[in-house]
């Protein structure tokens, strides 16, 4: 196996792990929020079904100042309402959400980066 | 060229001849024998009797073989009877074109093509549904016959409007003298008016026979003649590998890893993009035009990342599978 293939495989393990966390976070935290009438309608836009899981995770994982800024902007309907979510989640939910979100974002970012570098011929030499 | 005869009921020698003017002795079943009865939902090969040799052509038999499984031939018979057989050939071709296109583009962009395919299927369903209602109205001499005919016109127009290019490219190839029900509304209505229960399918090539078989396989016939087609390209790949005697476990591994990676890549790009866009629009006086351009860029980047991840994973994960299997000593 080439170095590229090994790196990609290593990164894929993290993507897989984040997919497991995605299911767990969806079942543990987001299911609760979907049932809660206070938070039911503030989970952000669902581009595809299940996207609210990502919205909630990003609202819990992003710095509060950034989320507040975004939620006041004209595209607020895209994002979950972080203030309401913080009121209605436990510390465990927030940690789970943050771990899932950053693992997912970073591992898939690395995947895209590797694919791009490979495409540009960095690993050919 | 093979002509395939399909019927939806058991017919004796006598009634078969009365209904379509062909002697039963001209037909061949899947084993190349002449049938005693025409059995419903069973494809038969029609070949002109040649004095030199009494064996049916191998191509014809092979085409028959592909269409013979009960779950294919039953749907195929129903479809041919309600759409007209030229129509089934055209639909099979369109399905294949859309399917090939869909297989070539996966991940985030699959959503778009998925919409296109399901839109096409829905438009065909509506046209068929309208035709079936029209047929029912004629048979029961219902006072709503005119309304039903209007509905057929409307559904046909919808189909033409939305899928003009696909239909034109396909119906041009068929070159039927009468046109197909897809290219010609009157033809569609005439097929409905003549309520037959025997139909003939002109299969011109091996490839076409397999397209038709695939089409029927993806088509489930519900009670009132509603055709539902579902597309599962990745499952299809796995199944094909399995059928071809390949390592389908490996194919399953490749398809699922590349699916996960392409979905993750697309999701990440869209999520990052929507944050970037949100910040941009909050910080600068960028208007709606900028938003649309930005949104298009985000979706394009996501589709590119998703396609790239899918392609790269398809190339690499086969090796991973082999390495894992080696390490486990299996």
């Amino acid at each position: 196996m080439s170095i590229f293939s090994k790196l990609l495989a290593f990164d894929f393990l993290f993507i897989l792990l984040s997919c497991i966390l995605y299911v767990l976070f969806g079942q543990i935290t987001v299911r609760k929020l979907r049932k809660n009438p206070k938070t039911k309608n503030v989970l952000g836009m669902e581009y595809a079904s299940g996207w609210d899981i990502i919205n909630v995770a990003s609202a819990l994982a992003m710095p509060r100042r950034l989320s507040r800024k975004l939620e006041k902007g004209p595209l607020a309907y895209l994002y979950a309402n972080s203030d309401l979510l913080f009121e209605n989640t436990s510390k465990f939910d927030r940690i789970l959400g943050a771990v899932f979100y950053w693992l997912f974002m970073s591992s898939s970012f690395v995947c895209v980066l590797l694919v791009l570098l490979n495409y540009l011929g960095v690993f050919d030499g | 060229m093979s002509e395939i005869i399909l019927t939806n009921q058991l017919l004796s020698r006598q009634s078969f001849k009365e209904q379509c003017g062909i002697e039963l002795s001209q037909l061949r079943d899947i084993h190349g024998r002449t049938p005693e009865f025409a059995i419903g939902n069973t494809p038969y090969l029609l070949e002109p009797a040649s004095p030199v040799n009494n064996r049916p052509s191998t191509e014809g038999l092979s085409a028959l073989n592909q269409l013979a499984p009960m779950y294919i031939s039953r749907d195929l018979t129903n479809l041919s009877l309600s759409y007209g057989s030229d129509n089934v050939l055209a639909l099979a071709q369109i399905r294949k074109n859309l399917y090939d296109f869909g297989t070539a583009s996966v991940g985030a962009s699959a959503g778009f093509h998925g919409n296109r395919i399901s839109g096409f299927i829905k438009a065909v369903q509506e046209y068929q549904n309208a035709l079936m209602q029209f047929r029912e109205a004629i048979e029961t001499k219902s006072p709503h016959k005119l309304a039903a005919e209007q509905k057929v016109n409307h559904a046909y127009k919808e189909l033409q409007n939305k899928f003009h290019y696909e239909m034109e490219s396909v119906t041009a190839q068929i070159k039927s003298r009468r046109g197909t029900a897809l290219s010609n509304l009157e033809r569609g209505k005439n097929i409905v008016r003549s309520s037959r229960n025997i139909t003939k399918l002109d299969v011109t090539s091996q490839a076409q026979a397999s397209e038709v078989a695939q089409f029927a396989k993806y088509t489930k016939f519900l009670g009132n003649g509603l055709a539902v087609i579902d597309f599962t390209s990745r499952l299809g790949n796995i199944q094909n590998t399995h059928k071809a005697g390949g390592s389908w476990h490996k194919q399953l591994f490749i398809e699922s890893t590349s699916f996960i990676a392409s979905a993750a890549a697309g999701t990440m790009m869209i999520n990052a993009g929507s944050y970037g866009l949100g910040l941009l629009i909050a910080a600068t006086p960028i208007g709606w035009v900028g938003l649309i351009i930005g949104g298009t860029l985000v979706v394009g980047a996501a589709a590119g990342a998703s396609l790239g991840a899918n392609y790269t994973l398809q190339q690499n994960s086969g090796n991973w599978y082999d390495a894992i299997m080696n390490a486990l000593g299996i």
Side-chain angles (χ1 to χ4, degrees):
Chain A
M1 268 197 292
S2 64
I3 290 183
F4 170 71
S5 194
K6 278 184 188 153
L7 282 174
L8 195 65
F10 186 66
D11 181 50
F12 185 77
L13 284 179
F14 287 97
I15 295 185
L16 205 62
L17 191 65
S18 72
C19 288
I20 296 168
L21 285 177
Y22 171 84
V23 175
L24 285 178
F25 180 66
Q27 289 297 313
I28 295 171
T29 304
V30 180
R31 198 155 75 140
K32 208 167 55 190
L33 293 170
R34 282 188 195 133
K35 283 183 189 156
N36 186 342
K38 274 187 232 157
T39 50
K40 206 160 85 177
N41 297 316
V42 297
L43 301 182
M45 176 140 130
E46 281 196 273
Y47 301 100
S49 98
W51 203 286
D52 54 353
I53 297 173
I54 293 165
N55 288 342
V56 170
S58 79
L60 292 179
M62 281 278 174
R64 296 297 302 279
R65 270 185 53 208
L66 190 69
S67 320
R68 288 215 179 97
K69 194 171 179 182
L70 283 169
E71 284 151 28
K72 274 186 208 131
L75 290 182
Y77 59 89
L78 292 181
Y79 320 107
N81 185 326
S82 57
D83 286 333
L84 277 172
L85 289 185
F86 268 85
E87 280 167 26
N88 291 288
T89 46
S90 66
K91 189 147 197 173
F92 171 74
D93 292 327
R94 280 170 233 164
I95 293 172
L96 181 63
V99 170
F100 155 64
Y101 185 75
W102 290 117
L103 185 67
F104 175 75
M105 289 299 272
S106 53
S107 61
S108 44
F109 175 74
V110 170
C111 175
V112 172
L113 196 68
L114 280 173
V115 168
L116 186 70
L117 290 177
N118 183 50
Y119 175 75
L120 294 175
V122 173
F123 294 100
D124 288 352
Chain B
M1 171 132 163
S2 319
E3 292 185 57
I4 308 277
I5 302 285
L6 291 158
T7 164
N8 65 353
Q9 48 184 236
L10 185 72
L11 290 172
S12 68
R13 195 180 292 260
Q14 188 62 32
S15 51
F16 187 81
K17 183 153 191 263
E18 275 167 17
Q19 290 220 21
C20 67
I22 302 172
E23 288 283 357
L24 205 54
S25 56
Q26 285 173 267
L27 299 188
R28 297 306 177 119
D29 68 6
I30 184 169
H31 306 292
R33 292 189 293 249
T34 309
E36 289 297 318
F37 304 95
I39 301 167
N41 300 326
T42 306
Y44 291 104
L45 190 64
L46 171 68
E47 284 199 334
S50 81
V52 188
N53 109 32
N54 211 15
R55 296 287 308 161
S57 71
T58 40
E59 294 133 50
L61 277 186
S62 159
L64 207 56
N65 249 313
Q66 296 205 43
L67 305 178
M70 193 59 175
Y71 66 99
I72 291 178
S73 62
R74 190 187 50 231
D75 291 346
L76 195 59
T77 309
N78 285 329
L79 285 166
S80 306
L81 285 172
S82 63
Y83 282 127
S85 52
D86 325 335
N87 221 343
V88 168
L89 297 182
L91 287 173
Q93 176 80 41
I94 297 178
R95 186 208 73 86
K96 186 178 176 296
N97 291 350
L98 286 170
Y99 179 82
D100 286 351
F101 204 53
T103 327
S105 54
V106 280
S109 58
F112 171 74
H113 298 298
N115 273 342
R116 184 109 184 114
I117 293 171
S118 55
F120 170 67
I121 300 311
K122 218 170 138 205
V124 170
Q125 274 175 23
E126 262 153 36
Y127 182 40
Q128 190 195 18
N129 225 0
L131 283 173
M132 297 300 279
Q133 281 177 10
F134 184 42
R135 180 174 179 156
E136 214 166 283
I138 291 173
E139 278 172 1
T140 55
K141 298 195 171 61
S142 154
H144 303 302
K145 204 175 101 179
L146 212 63
E149 192 171 350
Q150 284 301 322
K151 219 168 156 189
V152 172
N153 293 347
H154 179 74
Y156 177 74
K157 224 163 147 189
E158 279 283 307
L159 189 65
Q160 277 292 320
N161 280 344
K162 287 189 194 151
F163 295 92
H164 179 72
Y165 293 107
E166 279 92 346
M167 306 241 291
E168 196 166 308
S169 70
V170 166
T171 45
Q173 285 168 21
I174 288 183
K175 292 195 187 85
S176 164
R177 279 148 290 142
R178 302 163 293 186
T180 72
L182 287 178
S183 60
N184 185 341
L185 179 58
E186 283 312 308
R187 176 100 179 90
K189 287 190 200 164
N190 284 336
I191 290 170
V192 167
R193 283 196 187 99
S194 69
S195 89
R196 301 171 301 172
N197 40 31
I198 298 177
T199 179
K200 190 169 78 178
L201 214 54
D202 294 333
V203 180
T204 48
S205 67
Q206 268 312 297
Q208 202 175 29
S210 102
E211 274 168 30
V212 171
Q214 283 292 332
F215 175 66
K217 225 190 304 185
Y218 281 109
T219 313
K220 307 252 181 326
F221 227 80
L222 299 180
N224 64 347
L226 201 73
V228 179
I229 302 173
D230 60 335
F231 287 80
T232 40
S233 68
R234 286 176 198 274
L235 285 180
N237 276 348
I238 296 163
Q239 201 197 6
N240 284 341
T241 308
H242 176 51
K243 269 201 221 143
S247 166
W248 66 271
H249 302 96
K250 186 172 170 177
Q251 191 64 28
L252 178 70
F253 182 81
I254 293 174
E255 294 293 343
S256 44
T257 51
S258 54
F259 173 73
I260 291 170
S262 69
T267 309
M268 189 277 291
M269 293 295 271
I270 288 181
N271 206 36
S274 79
Y275 264 93
L277 216 57
L279 288 178
L280 194 70
I281 203 172
T284 55
I286 163 181
W288 286 103
V289 177
L291 191 62
I292 290 168
I293 295 172
T296 317
L297 285 178
V298 169
V299 172
S306 184
L307 281 173
N310 181 65
Y311 176 78
T312 316
L313 266 286
Q314 294 261 0
Q315 299 293 314
N316 283 280
S317 61
N319 290 334
W320 304 350
Y321 180 85
D322 293 339
I324 295 168
M325 287 298 132
N326 268 335
L328 293 176
I330 298 171

